[in-house]
Amino acid sequence: YSFANISDLDIESVNLPKLKFISKNRYLNENLELLSQENFKKIKKYLYKMQLGNQLLSVSINGSWNYKDYKNKLQSDKQNYYIVGISASLPIDINAKTRVEKTKIDYLKSKLLLQDKKKELLNSHLLVLNQIKTLKEKLKIYDENINIYDNLIKTTKESIKAGSATYLDLEVLENSKSAAVLNKQIISYQIQKQLLNLYYKLISFKN
């Protein structure tokens, strides 16, 4: 892909960010895929509880305060009394149990999917960690080779003065050193690319 197709910036003047390795906790806590899966689980849990609540027995209590003025030929009386009524209702739906079981299964599945996603992300994190370790080992090797080339170049220059080496020998060593420096730079970019595989999935990296 051409950089010009995705940005108007001059590729030669762009300063790339220096990414650092991130911990497992941060990778999980800020991971967009995991956050999405957690929200999915919450929705399934809510739907299950809502469906379960629709099938529960509901009880209602009603009360009223009343006044009665009682009179006859023998006596008269005034009475206040309170009437309390209790009613209970239970929804009758032949498909209710099936719906409850279905939402329960969906909720349990969402929990399993969340666990699977966590395992998947942890494996991805570990894979990147191991790849970076391998790349850093290569960097050490190139650093050692560059030091060797520096010593050889110094020795060859002295040998040229003594007449025991040629400028062609010096050129070969300098080219070898330049190749090692270039390869070291390439590996550094490869490490950044591996880190980017982690970072681009983080919500903090998107904002």
Side-chain angles (χ1 to χ4, degrees):
Y1 295 100
S2 173
F3 184 78
N5 293 334
I6 60 175
S7 177
D8 295 330
L9 298 174
D10 180 8
I11 191 172
E12 298 295 335
S13 62
V14 173
N15 293 322
L16 297 177
K18 186 71 173 180
L19 302 178
K20 297 181 180 180
F21 195 76
I22 54 179
S23 66
K24 288 187 294 184
N25 287 338
R26 182 186 172 190
Y27 184 60
L28 292 180
N29 292 336
E30 298 184 16
N31 191 279
L32 289 169
E33 294 179 1
L34 191 61
L35 291 173
S36 176
Q37 195 63 53
E38 287 178 344
N39 287 333
F40 180 72
K41 188 201 76 169
K42 289 178 181 179
I43 291 173
K44 291 300 181 181
K45 182 179 181 180
Y46 171 77
L47 292 175
Y48 167 57
K49 286 189 172 183
M50 184 177 67
Q51 193 64 240
L52 185 64
N54 289 340
Q55 311 309 317
L56 297 177
L57 177 70
S58 61
V59 178
S60 61
I61 301 176
N62 300 307
S64 63
W65 185 265
N66 296 275
Y67 171 78
K68 183 178 181 181
D69 188 358
Y70 176 78
K71 294 182 180 181
N72 57 28
K73 294 181 179 180
L74 299 177
Q75 62 180 359
S76 64
D77 192 11
K78 295 180 180 180
Q79 296 180 348
N80 294 321
Y81 60 95
Y82 193 76
I83 298 176
V84 178
I86 299 176
S87 62
S89 63
L90 181 66
I92 300 176
D93 187 345
I94 58 175
N95 296 319
K97 185 177 180 181
T98 301
R99 286 198 296 270
V100 170
E101 289 298 321
K102 183 180 182 305
T103 54
K104 181 179 181 180
I105 291 173
D106 289 342
Y107 170 53
L108 294 176
K109 283 182 178 179
S110 70
K111 292 176 69 176
L112 291 176
L113 288 173
L114 180 61
Q115 292 176 359
D116 290 342
K117 178 56 67 175
K118 283 183 179 179
K119 291 179 182 178
E120 176 188 334
L121 294 174
L122 287 173
N123 288 334
S124 298
H125 186 275
L126 180 60
L127 178 62
V128 170
L129 174 62
N130 290 333
Q131 289 175 337
I132 289 177
K133 284 182 178 179
T134 301
L135 290 171
K136 285 185 175 181
E137 288 297 323
K138 290 183 179 180
L139 282 178
K140 290 180 181 179
I141 294 174
Y142 279 116
D143 281 334
E144 293 172 357
N145 289 341
I146 290 171
N147 288 332
I148 292 174
Y149 286 130
D150 283 337
N151 292 329
L152 288 174
I153 289 172
K154 181 179 179 181
T155 302
T156 302
K157 287 179 178 179
E158 294 174 354
S159 298
I160 291 174
K161 292 179 180 180
S164 58
T166 66
Y167 283 101
L168 179 60
D169 296 329
L170 178 62
E171 183 179 357
V172 170
L173 290 172
E174 288 177 339
N175 288 339
S176 296
K177 177 188 173 181
S178 296
V181 172
L182 180 60
N183 285 329
K184 182 181 175 182
Q185 187 176 13
I186 291 173
I187 290 175
S188 296
Y189 287 139
Q190 289 176 339
I191 291 175
Q192 290 296 298
K193 183 179 179 182
Q194 290 296 329
L195 291 173
L196 187 60
N197 290 333
L198 299 180
Y199 271 86
Y200 89 95
K201 295 181 180 179
L202 301 185
I203 188 171
S204 59
F205 192 66
K206 298 291 183 180
N207 295 333

